[in-house]
Amino acid sequence: MNILVINGPNLNMLGIREPDIYGKETYNSLVEKIENYAKEKGIAVKCCQSNHEGDLVDFIQFAYGVFDGIVINPGAYTHTSIAILDAVKAVDIPTVEVHISDVSSREDFRQISYIRQACFKTICGKGTDGYLEAIDAIIEKVGK
Ligand code: DQA
């Protein structure tokens, strides 16, 4: 079992950006937390991040034939990107959408998620623990 964790724009600024919304944990400590959890679960994980939409499409395409599952927080591209939706549909790899904040109780423009229709689960508002829950969901769906 091999899971790719993709983070989109501004998630490299975790710990600095709006800590009242996204918490004080940094991106590096998030990666460490995910890697430690994967080790505990006996699975392989790779984390990547980009501020650029095309890079996120490339990461998803790269997963084809290599990864068994994708955990993705597309950041603001959640609310705008058809290209990222199409990429997830194209590779047809079990994917979970994660948001650190509870987007459902925020601004109207955050209520739209293009990627959601290609994901078998969405996890919102659980902080960075949402990434771990997403890993569990993929293990449960795909098996070890
Ligand atoms: C986010 C929510 C998005 O609306 C926002 O643009 C982000 C982070 C979250 O993790 O809560 O960058 O995806």
Side-chain angles (χ1 to χ4, degrees):
M1 163 73 67
N2 201 1
I3 296 176
L4 182 63
V5 180
I6 302 172
N7 274 292
N10 298 308
L11 289 155
N12 57 316
M13 296 291 283
L14 281 179
I16 299 164
R17 74 180 290 209
E18 303 176 90
D20 45 321
I21 297 175
Y22 298 111
K24 291 192 174 145
E25 202 178 337
T26 64
Y27 176 71
N28 285 344
S29 62
L30 169 63
V31 169
E32 205 178 312
K33 176 171 167 169
I34 292 168
E35 287 174 350
N36 287 339
Y37 192 70
K39 210 175 280 175
E40 235 173 72
K41 294 273 166 180
I43 61 153
V45 81
K46 182 178 165 62
C47 296
C48 53
Q49 187 276 330
S50 176
N51 294 323
H52 306 279
E53 185 176 13
D55 285 350
L56 301 178
V57 171
D58 286 344
F59 292 151
I60 294 162
Q61 291 186 6
F62 166 74
Y64 182 72
V66 178
F67 288 90
D68 307 301
I70 296 173
V71 174
I72 185 165
N73 181 348
Y77 288 133
T78 306
H79 318 301
T80 62
S81 180
I82 298 166
I84 293 172
L85 164 66
D86 284 348
V88 174
K89 281 184 167 174
V91 297
D92 197 25
I93 296 169
T95 298
V96 180
E97 173 191 12
V98 171
H99 299 286
I100 294 168
S101 67
D102 180 12
V103 282
S104 68
S105 62
R106 297 182 64 193
E107 301 94 326
D108 286 350
F109 60 82
R110 292 185 209 275
Q111 306 311 314
I112 294 164
S113 168
Y114 283 95
I115 198 174
R116 191 155 304 167
Q117 62 174 276
C119 297
F120 74 89
K121 192 177 173 113
T122 296
I123 297 164
C124 293
K126 300 209 168 156
T128 58
D129 286 352
Y131 292 84
L132 310 185
E133 202 179 295
I135 287 172
D136 286 340
I138 291 173
I139 292 171
E140 198 183 316
K141 188 173 180 69
V142 179
K144 266 199 186 178

